[in-house]
Amino acid sequence: EVSYRLSSPNVQAWNLNALLMLTGGRLVFSKTKISRLILFWFSLSIIGLLYLSSSRSGWIATGVGLIVLVYSYIRIQKINLLEKLNEIKKNKVWFVLLILFFAIALALGGYLLYRQALHPSHGSLFRSRYEFWEPAIKVFISNPIFGQGLFTFSSALLSAHSTPPFGIYLHAHSIPLTLAAETGLVGVGLSGFF
């Protein structure tokens, strides 16, 4: 069982996703076999690191990014998907292999995501960010009109949790709660205009 987790997983996932999309774009338009092979293995290592980041938002961004990358490739190359699918359907062996490949990839991907969902850092929807949200709510309750001040959430978090083992975070992992804690009702109200 993989218990390793990259530090600052969401930041790492952002960087890795940017790198993956650039690498993927270069991979699909690369001309030589050796460069395609190197870029393919590099892309696989990035996907592995994204998995180890345990960043759910990173995984969503990876999925969306890969869909956009494939869509862009299809549009640029002017590939007719229905025509290609009909060609594959004519060859029963290729058609069965294609279905089998997607079924195995879907089952394996689902299993890996399920295993990561059991990771200790992934609580339920409302409990997973409780450590961040509780100090933000307390700060908002104590300073409801103007908040505690911009960029001060980390001080509220430090007063609520010992560091180490808890890390230093600059926001409450919730834009509305961070905004309410730092700027109060005035800031929340003004944010609606912008």
Side-chain angles (χ1 to χ4, degrees):
E1 180 176 327
V2 176
S3 62
Y4 178 76
R5 188 166 177 204
L6 296 173
S7 63
S8 303
N10 292 333
V11 175
Q12 293 299 332
W14 186 93
N15 292 324
L16 290 168
N17 269 314
L19 191 59
L20 180 62
M21 296 311 125
L22 292 171
T23 304
R26 179 77 177 153
L27 172 66
V28 295
F29 294 108
S30 184
K31 303 290 184 208
T32 65
K33 285 185 180 182
I34 189 71
S35 65
R36 273 190 252 138
L37 184 65
I38 292 169
L39 290 168
F40 173 76
W41 285 109
F42 188 61
S43 296
L44 279 182
S45 68
I46 294 170
I47 290 170
L49 287 172
L50 278 164
Y51 173 72
L52 289 175
S53 75
S54 195
S55 170
R56 293 170 287 190
S57 61
W59 300 338
I60 292 169
T62 302
V64 171
L66 290 175
I67 289 169
V68 169
L69 194 63
V70 168
Y71 175 78
S72 300
Y73 178 76
I74 290 169
R75 292 289 302 228
I76 290 170
Q77 296 297 326
K78 296 181 173 96
I79 296 172
N80 185 338
L81 287 180
L82 292 176
E83 188 177 294
K84 288 286 185 190
L85 186 60
N86 286 333
E87 286 177 26
I88 292 172
K89 280 183 181 178
K90 289 176 186 175
N91 186 337
K92 300 292 183 200
V93 173
W94 279 111
F95 187 65
V96 168
L97 285 175
L98 182 67
I99 290 174
L100 191 61
F101 171 78
F102 279 111
I104 290 171
L106 190 62
L108 182 62
Y111 174 73
L112 289 174
L113 290 177
Y114 167 74
R115 292 294 301 158
Q116 278 289 48
L118 298 177
H119 194 279
S121 68
H122 293 174
S124 67
L125 180 62
F126 295 108
R127 295 291 302 172
S128 63
R129 301 291 186 214
Y130 182 75
E131 304 88 26
F132 304 103
W133 294 352
E134 182 185 32
I137 292 168
K138 286 181 179 178
V139 166
F140 174 71
I141 289 170
S142 66
N143 304 292
I145 305 299
F146 294 106
Q148 182 173 286
L150 285 174
F151 310 112
T152 60
F153 172 76
S154 58
S155 64
L157 189 65
L158 286 172
S159 66
H161 299 290
S162 174
T163 302
F166 205 80
I168 297 173
Y169 296 91
L170 303 177
H171 53 83
H173 286 74
S174 164
I175 292 172
L177 287 177
T178 302
L179 193 62
E182 293 182 350
T183 64
L185 291 172
V186 171
V188 171
L190 289 174
S191 71
F193 292 111
F194 301 103

